[in-house]
């Protein structure tokens, strides 16, 4: 009798709440249907729907699927996809945790928990699941192949920062589900690993698979990235047939740009400027296109249109100067001229910045003179604080010039928050730009230090009291010592054993880019020969000897090592670079020359390049 009354109450609730919609809570994905109803009268219906779920669960306490639907309903009822914000986030997490605590071994509950657990906690839960279940050798009781496939798909998504593991788990997910196609994520990982051949093979093998419009759109964009333009156009046609609201203007622009059909490419950018959403960024793209491919008059017109939207777009006037080179007699507006004045002010600031550390050193030396402090014997070279100032200014100018000419737009967007496409922690750049930047920088600094050498300084650069055999031995010991330091640091910062040698190399991403774009020989030439040469002359030569005259060797050695660690822009490895600088500075003093430091530096960098080379060979076999 009691059961009959409960069923009757459920029926009345269902009828009164939802009338002719006739949705059952045990219906598959009932939470999605309820959310659609909820949007019509959210506050009135939300609690009523929860009561509906609760009444059903009270009668069917073992219906775990409905309990999951209830949690999913809570999670999606007040979720704002545009803002990526969930007003009921805490309630959703509480519901998930209660489910997991009650049914920790139920596949659907565990998968739901995994799908909503991120970061270190999510990775720990994956490891725990892998240890608890054996999906590889035998069929795991209680798990079907579709659930195992979903588990590995979750694993692939969670290891987004480890492309090797992401590929491995994605392939496992596909092996348990013949209908599953993860070619987009697999291809992206291959591209990140610079294995373009495998990326292309994987993507091209799955072009005929039916998907939702957004997945096909992702495939189209990847095809553009992989230079498969004809196939990309076909894919975008399929996208339009499924959903005409998908805008592929950016991808289509890239296709026609690669084909050097600049006018046709421009039409897609022009079309985007008519939209109100992200209008500033779209006008910026049009102006940048015209600057490169259109007539000077059209470029200036687009430039001024962009300036009306945002004065900060060309803050340092680089774009206007480029237009001026093409059409020098076109009159300038006051606003345009002000950008060039800002650029001139930047140069003046860079000129003055080195005095922030030059003047204190000079002041401390006067203090030593007043106190009659006797400084020990100095290095036998005549670099002075003037040379220290000059190399500091050139270093700063070189960095700024590279940014202005290679990454100007990205940094401007980031600094002044223009549009949505800007850098977060590092500038989004092409691999070729990254490779070119380090080669150009190395070439400029190499040529620069040559002007700081005369006969005596050149002799000091290649001098050493040790024989070549001893130098080679000390260099190998130095690399081993670096490995020990990195292992010790690994207890305090995130350093893995496999990456120790590679992490000891500054600008790792750029160096990987040089290797990928120009090969092993050029990388060794730049990284293991040119860079050690000019860095040792700058830090253990110019800076150490010029400051030693005023502070003594110990103080000068600390300063050059501190600056050496600072310019490598790695907080986690600051201590490593500082110790590196101290040792090579002491080597310069002990051996009365820079050759020992150059050799140690070169062997260390060469070992790192070899590690990168070995890693790349392994990735080819993925």
């Amino acid at each position: 009798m009691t059961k009959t009354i409960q069923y009757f109450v459920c029926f009345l609730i269902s009828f009164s709440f939802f009338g002719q919609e006739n949705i059952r809570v045990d219906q598959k994905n009932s939470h999605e249907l309820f959310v659609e109803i909820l949007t019509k009268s959210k506050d009135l219906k939300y609690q009523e729907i929860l009561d509906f779920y609760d009444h059903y669960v009270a009668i069917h306490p073992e219906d775990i699927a409905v309990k999951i639907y209830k949690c999913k309903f809570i999670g999606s009822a007040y979720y704002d996809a545009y803002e990526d914000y969930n007003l009921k986030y805490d309630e959703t997490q509480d519901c998930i945790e209660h489910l997991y605590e009650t049914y920790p071994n139920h596949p659907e509950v565990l998968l739901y928990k995994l799908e909503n657990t991120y970061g270190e906690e999510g990775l720990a839960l994956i490891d725990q699941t892998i240890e608890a279940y054996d999906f590889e050798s035998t069929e795991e009781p209680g798990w079907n192949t579709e659930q195992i496939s979903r588990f590995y798909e979750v694993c692939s998504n969670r290891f987004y920062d480890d492309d090797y593991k992401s590929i491995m788990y994605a392939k496992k997910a596909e092996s348990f589900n013949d209908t599953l196609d993860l070619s987009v994520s697999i291809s992206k990982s291959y591209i990140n690993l610079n294995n373009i051949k495998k990326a292309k093979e994987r993507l091209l093998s799955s072009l005929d698979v039916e998907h939702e419009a957004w997945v096909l759109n992702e495939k189209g964009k990847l095809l553009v990235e992989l230079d498969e333009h004809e196939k990309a156009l076909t894919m975008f046609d399929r996208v339009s047939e499924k959903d005409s609201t998908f805008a592929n203007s950016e991808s289509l622009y890239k296709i026609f740009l690669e084909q050097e059909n600049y006018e046709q490419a421009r039409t897609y950018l022009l079309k985007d400027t008519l939209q109100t959403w992200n209008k500033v960024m779209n006008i910026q793209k049009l102006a940048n296109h015209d600057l490169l491919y259109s007539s000077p008059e059209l470029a200036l017109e687009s430039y001024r249109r962009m300036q009306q939207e945002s004065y900060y777009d060309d803050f340092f006037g680089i774009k206007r100067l480029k237009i001026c080179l093409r059409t020098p007699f076109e009159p300038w507006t006051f606003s345009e001229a002000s950008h060039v004045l800002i650029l001139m002010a930047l140069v003046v600031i860079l000129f003055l910045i080195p005095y922030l550390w030059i003047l204190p050193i000079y002041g401390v030396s006067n203090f030593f003179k007043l106190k009659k402090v006797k400084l020990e014997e100095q290095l036998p070279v005549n670099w002075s604080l003037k040379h220290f100032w000059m190399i500091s200014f050139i270093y700063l100018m070189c960095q700024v010039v590279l940014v202005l000419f290679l990454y100007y737009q990205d940094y401007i967007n980031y600094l002044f928050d223009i549009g949505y496409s800007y850098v977060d922690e590092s500038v989004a750049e092409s691999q070729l730009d990254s490779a070119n930047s380090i080669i150009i920088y190395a070439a400029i600094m190499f040529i620069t230090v040559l002007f700081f050498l005369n006969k005596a300084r050149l002799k000091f650069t290649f001098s050493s009291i040790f024989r070549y055999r001893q130098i080679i031995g000390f260099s190998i010991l130095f690399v081993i010592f670096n490995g020990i330091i990195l292992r010790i640091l690994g207890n305090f910062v995130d350093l893995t054993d496999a990456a120790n040698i590679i992490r000891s190399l500054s600008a790792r991403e750029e160096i990987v880019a040089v290797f990928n774009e120009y090969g092993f020989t050029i990388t060794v030439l730049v990284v293991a020969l040119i860079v050690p040469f000019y860095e040792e002359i700058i830090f253990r030569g110019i800076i150490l000897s010029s400051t030693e005259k005023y502070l003594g060797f110990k103080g000068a050695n600390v300063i050059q090592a501190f600056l050496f660690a600072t310019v490598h822009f790695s907080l986690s490895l600051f201590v490593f670079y500082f110790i590196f600088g101290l040792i090579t500075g002491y080597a310069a003093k002990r051996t009365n020359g820079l050759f020992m430091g150059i050799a140690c530096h070169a062997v260390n960098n060469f070992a790192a390049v070899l590690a990168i080379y070995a890693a790349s060979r392994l990735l080819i076999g993925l």
Side-chain angles (χ1 to χ4, degrees):
M1 183 66 180
T2 304
K3 285 281 187 183
T4 304
I5 294 173
Q6 288 177 331
Y7 277 117
F8 182 69
V9 170
C10 263
F11 172 76
L12 287 178
I13 292 172
S14 174
F15 182 79
S16 61
F17 288 169
F18 309 111
Q20 56 188 334
E21 274 87 358
N22 196 27
I23 301 173
R24 303 191 317 274
V25 291
D26 59 337
Q27 191 172 335
K28 186 175 181 180
N29 295 327
S30 61
H31 61 287
E32 296 177 356
L33 302 174
F34 285 138
V35 169
E36 291 181 12
I37 296 173
L38 191 66
T39 56
K40 301 173 184 176
S41 52
K42 183 165 287 189
D43 294 329
L44 288 174
K45 294 291 185 182
Y46 178 74
Q47 190 57 49
E48 295 177 350
I49 295 172
L50 286 184
D51 291 339
F52 190 32
Y53 273 113
D54 290 338
H55 277 287
Y56 181 88
V57 169
I59 300 171
H60 306 90
E62 298 304 318
D63 196 334
I64 299 175
V66 172
K67 294 181 180 181
I68 294 174
Y69 294 155
K70 176 188 172 182
C71 290
K72 289 183 177 180
F73 169 72
I74 296 172
S76 53
Y78 282 81
Y79 176 69
D80 187 335
Y82 183 77
E83 296 290 340
D84 192 21
Y85 175 72
N86 184 8
L87 189 63
K88 299 291 183 181
Y89 175 80
D90 292 335
E91 290 90 331
T92 305
Q93 294 303 310
D94 290 341
C95 186
I96 295 172
E97 287 301 321
H98 177 71
L99 256 181
Y100 181 64
E101 290 172 5
T102 309
Y103 308 102
N105 298 316
H106 191 282
E108 289 296 331
V109 173
L110 180 54
L111 286 170
Y112 183 45
K113 167 71 172 173
L114 281 166
E115 289 166 353
N116 290 274
T117 308
Y118 303 90
E120 293 298 325
E121 184 183 355
L123 296 178
L125 187 56
I126 286 174
D127 291 338
Q128 178 183 322
T129 306
I130 291 174
E131 290 178 7
Y133 300 100
D134 185 6
F135 298 134
E136 299 297 325
S137 58
T138 59
E139 289 189 10
E140 184 64 37
W143 288 73
N144 58 45
T145 55
E146 188 271 337
Q147 291 167 336
I148 297 174
S149 176
R150 282 171 55 199
F151 168 71
Y152 282 128
E153 186 176 358
V154 171
C155 293
S156 177
N157 293 332
R158 291 297 175 271
F159 285 97
Y160 58 87
D161 59 346
D162 187 332
D163 293 297
Y164 174 77
K165 286 187 176 180
S166 180
I167 292 171
M168 178 183 70
Y169 285 124
K171 287 182 176 180
K172 286 185 177 182
E174 289 182 329
S175 70
F176 282 94
N177 185 348
D178 295 337
T179 64
L180 184 64
D181 175 27
L182 299 179
S183 58
V184 170
S185 62
I186 292 174
S187 297
K188 285 181 179 179
S189 293
Y190 276 132
I191 291 172
N192 293 338
L193 295 171
N194 202 46
N195 197 333
I196 305 302
K197 181 180 178 182
K198 283 288 183 70
K200 192 174 293 189
E201 287 177 359
R202 187 63 185 85
L203 191 63
L204 294 179
S205 66
S206 64
L207 294 185
D208 295 331
V209 180
E210 281 300 321
H211 279 293
E212 296 178 7
W214 71 269
V215 178
L216 297 179
N217 194 55
E218 288 297 309
K219 286 189 177 185
K221 290 192 288 187
L222 280 175
L223 287 168
V224 173
E225 189 172 349
L226 295 169
D227 294 328
E228 293 287 343
H229 297 154
E230 294 301 322
K231 290 183 173 62
L233 289 171
T234 302
M235 187 61 67
F236 288 138
D237 287 339
R238 289 174 61 188
V239 172
S240 299
E241 290 174 4
K242 281 182 171 288
D243 188 346
S244 59
T245 61
F246 267 94
N248 301 299
S249 297
E250 185 174 354
S251 297
L252 292 168
Y253 167 75
K254 290 179 180 178
I255 292 173
F256 288 103
L257 191 65
E258 287 291 330
Q259 296 175 352
E260 298 184 2
N261 190 343
Y262 302 127
E263 290 188 12
Q264 181 65 31
R266 187 179 188 274
T267 60
Y268 292 103
L269 296 181
L270 192 61
K271 178 182 176 182
D272 284 345
T273 62
L274 301 177
Q275 302 174 3
T276 56
W277 182 81
N278 206 37
K279 186 176 182 178
V280 173
M281 180 62 74
N282 292 331
I283 294 176
Q284 182 186 87
K285 290 177 181 178
L286 179 66
N288 290 341
H289 171 88
D290 289 340
L291 185 64
L292 293 172
Y293 306 112
S294 300
S295 66
E297 294 76 19
L298 193 57
L300 186 58
E301 180 184 333
S302 298
Y303 174 85
R304 286 174 174 167
R305 183 182 175 190
M306 181 64 222
Q307 286 291 292
Q308 290 177 352
E309 296 290 337
S310 174
Y311 171 81
Y312 300 103
D313 171 67
D314 186 29
F315 191 68
F316 295 107
I318 302 300
K319 295 180 185 180
R320 186 61 183 88
L321 287 172
K322 289 180 179 179
I323 295 174
C324 181
L325 292 175
R326 298 174 64 190
T327 174
F329 301 109
E330 190 71 33
W332 289 54
T333 65
F334 175 78
S335 175
E336 293 164 7
S338 67
H339 289 300
V340 179
L341 292 176
I342 293 173
L343 179 63
M344 295 170 63
L346 175 64
V347 174
V348 172
I349 291 171
L350 294 177
F351 183 87
L352 296 175
I353 284 177
Y355 287 107
L356 293 176
W357 47 84
I358 299 296
L359 291 179
I361 292 173
Y362 185 76
V364 171
S365 72
N366 289 331
F367 173 79
F368 283 165
K369 288 178 182 178
L370 290 174
K371 294 292 183 179
K372 297 182 179 179
V373 176
K374 186 177 180 180
L375 302 178
E376 62 265 35
E377 186 180 347
Q378 300 168 5
L379 294 170
V381 280
N382 61 347
W383 279 306
S384 65
L385 287 182
K386 179 182 72 174
H387 299 103
F388 187 8
W389 173 86
M390 290 172 63
I391 198 67
S392 299
F393 172 67
I394 292 170
Y395 172 83
L396 292 172
M397 274 297 296
C398 185
Q399 293 284 342
V400 170
V401 167
L402 281 176
V403 169
L404 292 180
F405 283 93
L406 292 179
Y407 316 124
Y408 180 55
Q409 190 67 77
D410 288 318
Y411 273 103
I412 289 295
N413 288 356
Y414 175 62
L415 290 173
F416 300 108
D417 196 23
I418 301 174
Y420 70 91
S421 178
Y422 52 79
V423 290
D424 296 319
E425 297 175 354
S426 60
V427 175
E429 55 185 327
S430 72
Q431 189 144 227
L432 182 60
D433 283 343
S434 183
N436 289 340
S437 69
I438 194 168
I439 290 176
I440 293 170
Y441 175 75
I444 292 174
M445 297 309 298
F446 177 77
I447 294 171
T448 298
V449 298
L450 294 180
F451 286 98
F452 285 79
L453 297 176
N454 54 28
K455 188 175 181 180
R457 295 167 188 163
L458 190 62
K459 181 179 179 181
F460 175 73
T461 299
F462 291 101
S463 293
S464 176
I465 63 174
F466 294 114
R467 296 178 179 178
Y468 290 122
R469 189 176 299 175
Q470 292 174 304
I471 291 173
I472 293 172
F474 277 118
S475 300
I476 295 172
L477 289 175
F478 183 67
V479 174
I480 296 172
F481 175 77
N482 285 342
I484 295 172
I485 294 296
L486 287 166
R487 182 177 287 273
I488 294 172
L489 286 176
N491 295 322
F492 305 98
V493 295
D494 184 20
L495 299 177
T496 60
D497 291 338
N500 275 348
I501 297 180
I502 297 176
R503 287 181 182 274
S504 70
L505 198 60
S506 63
R508 294 181 305 279
E509 292 80 7
E510 289 86 350
I511 291 164
V512 171
V514 174
F515 176 80
N516 291 333
E517 292 292 333
Y518 295 104
F520 181 79
T521 303
I522 296 297
T523 307
V524 170
L525 176 65
V526 173
V527 177
L529 293 177
I530 294 177
V531 171
F533 178 78
Y534 73 69
E535 284 192 346
E536 290 304 314
I537 291 177
I538 290 173
F539 292 96
R540 266 64 75 180
I542 298 172
I543 297 177
L544 180 60
S545 65
S546 64
T547 54
E548 186 188 24
K549 297 178 176 65
Y550 297 88
L551 305 178
F553 173 74
K554 292 180 180 178
N557 200 32
V558 169
I559 286 178
Q560 68 82 16
F562 177 84
L563 292 174
F564 179 72
T566 302
V567 301
H568 283 82
F569 303 108
S570 176
L571 183 61
S572 61
L573 289 172
F574 183 88
V575 174
F576 167 78
Y577 289 123
F578 183 72
I579 295 173
F580 189 112
L582 286 178
I583 293 174
T584 49
Y586 177 77
K589 183 74 172 179
R590 177 70 178 81
T591 64
N592 209 31
L594 298 179
F595 190 68
M596 172 69 83
I598 292 173
C600 290
H601 201 151
V603 171
N604 179 79
N605 284 16
F606 180 69
V609 172
L610 280 180
I612 293 173
Y613 176 77
S616 68
R617 295 296 92 190
L618 289 174
L619 292 177
I620 290 176
L622 278 177

